[in-house]
Amino acid sequence: MTVTEAPAQTAERPAHRDANVLRWLGAYTTSMIGDSVYYMALAWAAARTGGDTQTGVVLAVGSIPRAVLMLGGGVLADRIGPRRVVIGSDAARCLVVLGLAGALLLTSPAPWMLIAVALVFGVVDALFLPAVGALPPRVTAPGQLARVQGMRGLATRLANVVGAPLGGVAVALGGPTLAFAAAGVLFAVSLPLLLSLRIRPLPDRKGAEPSGTAWHDLADGLRHIRRHPLLGPLMIVVAVSELGFVGPLNLGLILLAEERHWGASGMGWIIAAFGAGAGATALLLAVRGRVPRAGLVMCLAVLAGAVAIGALGQLPSVALAATAAVCVGLFAGLGGSLLGALVQTVTEPAYLGRVTSVSTLFTHAIAPLSYPVTGAAVAVWGTGPVFVTSASLCAAGALTGLAFTRLRRAELPG
């Protein structure tokens, strides 16, 4: 596959007016909606073939290859280019899901069939996630990366809002077969958009290009993070803050609603409030395009988000908890978007896949390991102390970032 280089004269075009960025955004959005529809169909099919335990196994089995292969996905993205990896990943998803839909026309879903598909998706995710994170700097100028992060955040929120209801409608109308087919079509729609992307050429950085074995390239990428004055601190902030954020905002919120007898509707309002806050931050970044003193603002936003997480577990009513959730969405969304933009701007372009794979490993593979710890801790101490402990972890990540002078003074390109 040949790579088309973006013309220099469009390099500084604002991201929201750049047709190249909009094609990337359309591909990313349809792919994320397809993901949501796929997971809805998989959960429904698993529930129909067995009990709660079997459903949990089917949904969890994809996390194994994702965790094991994530760093290798970053090496592959740097070796052959993130666009090729994303195109291959969406093509694989399309073929596998449409193949499963076709199989379900002839037979009922079997557990082994669903587990096999979940494993394939786990492998594909391990390749897709580092590549999709490394792609924005290849389709827009460095000065537009904060705006692109905001646009990506809006796309993620849209996918969350549209994907699950769309999957539910498809399941209601035609069962898992129709839902899997709809997911496959969405993955297929992203392919022509990805194929039409114009890729910015990498600057000539002697010695930075992947060479030798994959293990050598991976070790080289880890050394790049360790020796870099900003990437090391940024990875620490990601690792520590995500451990405190993921547990309470996923499993912890369910347990909080049960403990306070708020019911599913109360939890729904809180989740919607969080989404509204995160969406507002994404919109702000998409419109503004740049935040002065990005490193300092990022750390302070994570710290403010930690305070809101701690408060969320102490509030007695749905209304107050939803207000705290808006603050969590605002500040955590701002901190996460700025962190992503900083990682993409300070990383040598030839290392983007490997660096992105490390940050993605923390957010999508290691942080979810806090779920059983969160559940066990809530069973012993209740939700209030657990939310405070989780907030303390988030705050520790932010304070660690503030301790690094270079990070406090970090700026995004103008």
Side-chain angles (χ1 to χ4, degrees):
M1 183 185 301
T2 59
V3 175
T4 305
E5 295 182 358
Q9 62 266 29
T10 64
E12 297 302 326
R13 182 178 299 168
H16 61 288
R17 299 177 182 174
D18 189 339
N20 198 45
V21 174
L22 294 178
R23 284 192 293 270
W24 164 81
L25 186 67
Y28 178 78
T29 304
T30 55
S31 182
M32 290 297 99
I33 295 174
D35 252 357
S36 295
V37 174
Y38 157 76
Y39 281 110
M40 171 67 73
L42 185 69
W44 187 264
R48 290 184 62 185
T49 60
D52 294 340
T53 300
Q54 185 169 286
T55 302
V57 169
V58 171
L59 295 178
V61 72
S63 63
I64 299 171
R66 188 185 302 127
V68 172
L69 301 174
M70 186 77 72
L71 296 180
V75 172
L76 184 65
D78 284 337
R79 277 177 170 260
I80 69 173
R83 188 184 71 161
R84 291 185 175 93
V85 176
V86 172
I87 290 172
S89 299
D90 270 356
R93 296 180 192 203
C94 177
L95 293 175
V96 169
V97 176
L98 290 179
L100 178 59
L104 293 182
L105 290 173
L106 305 175
T107 183
S108 299
W112 68 265
M113 186 187 303
L114 301 178
I115 289 173
V117 170
L119 284 171
V120 171
F121 257 72
V123 173
V124 173
D125 277 349
L127 305 179
F128 174 82
L129 291 170
V132 79
L135 196 53
R138 303 296 302 274
V139 299
T140 191
Q144 297 298 314
L145 284 175
R147 178 172 278 126
V148 168
Q149 287 295 317
M151 295 166 69
R152 182 180 177 184
L154 286 173
T156 301
R157 297 301 155 198
L158 176 64
N160 291 338
V161 170
V162 173
L166 180 61
V169 170
V171 168
L173 293 176
T177 302
L178 180 59
F180 282 125
V185 170
L186 286 164
F187 293 135
V189 169
S190 72
L191 292 175
L193 295 171
L194 291 168
L195 288 167
S196 65
L197 285 181
R198 294 168 296 163
I199 300 300
R200 294 167 58 85
L202 289 175
D204 186 15
R205 302 284 187 178
K206 187 176 181 180
E209 294 292 343
S211 59
T213 67
W215 284 110
H216 175 272
D217 291 343
L218 176 57
D220 188 36
L222 296 176
R223 282 193 298 269
H224 177 67
I225 294 173
R226 180 171 55 85
R227 294 172 180 174
H228 197 283
L230 284 179
L231 284 178
L234 285 169
M235 292 302 114
I236 293 174
V237 174
V238 171
V240 178
S241 62
E242 282 292 325
L243 281 174
F245 178 82
V246 168
L249 265 297
N250 289 280
L251 177 62
L253 190 55
I254 298 172
L255 300 177
L256 178 66
E258 289 181 353
E259 184 180 285
R260 304 291 169 85
H261 305 290
W262 291 340
S265 62
M267 186 180 69
W269 280 110
I270 296 171
I271 293 174
F274 170 80
T281 295
L283 180 61
L284 173 66
L285 284 174
V287 172
R288 183 176 177 84
R290 184 176 179 272
V291 175
R293 303 293 299 273
L296 177 62
V297 172
M298 181 269 293
C299 293
L300 293 178
V302 173
L303 186 60
V307 173
I309 289 173
L312 179 59
Q314 318 305 316
L315 298 172
S317 70
V318 172
L320 291 174
T323 302
V326 170
C327 296
V328 175
L330 282 170
F331 293 118
L334 178 60
S337 295
L338 290 177
L339 194 152
L342 285 168
V343 167
Q344 290 178 341
T345 54
V346 304
T347 302
E348 290 282 354
Y351 289 101
L352 267 170
R354 284 164 283 181
V355 171
T356 304
S357 72
V358 173
S359 62
T360 307
L361 180 68
F362 289 128
T363 57
H364 286 82
I366 294 179
L369 296 178
S370 65
Y371 290 165
V373 177
T374 299
V378 168
V380 175
W381 294 296
T383 54
V386 171
F387 269 72
V388 170
T389 302
S390 297
S392 300
L393 269 176
C394 285
L399 293 172
T400 300
L402 289 171
F404 290 92
T405 303
R406 293 286 293 273
L407 182 53
R408 290 199 310 271
R409 296 177 179 175
E411 295 278 6
L412 292 172

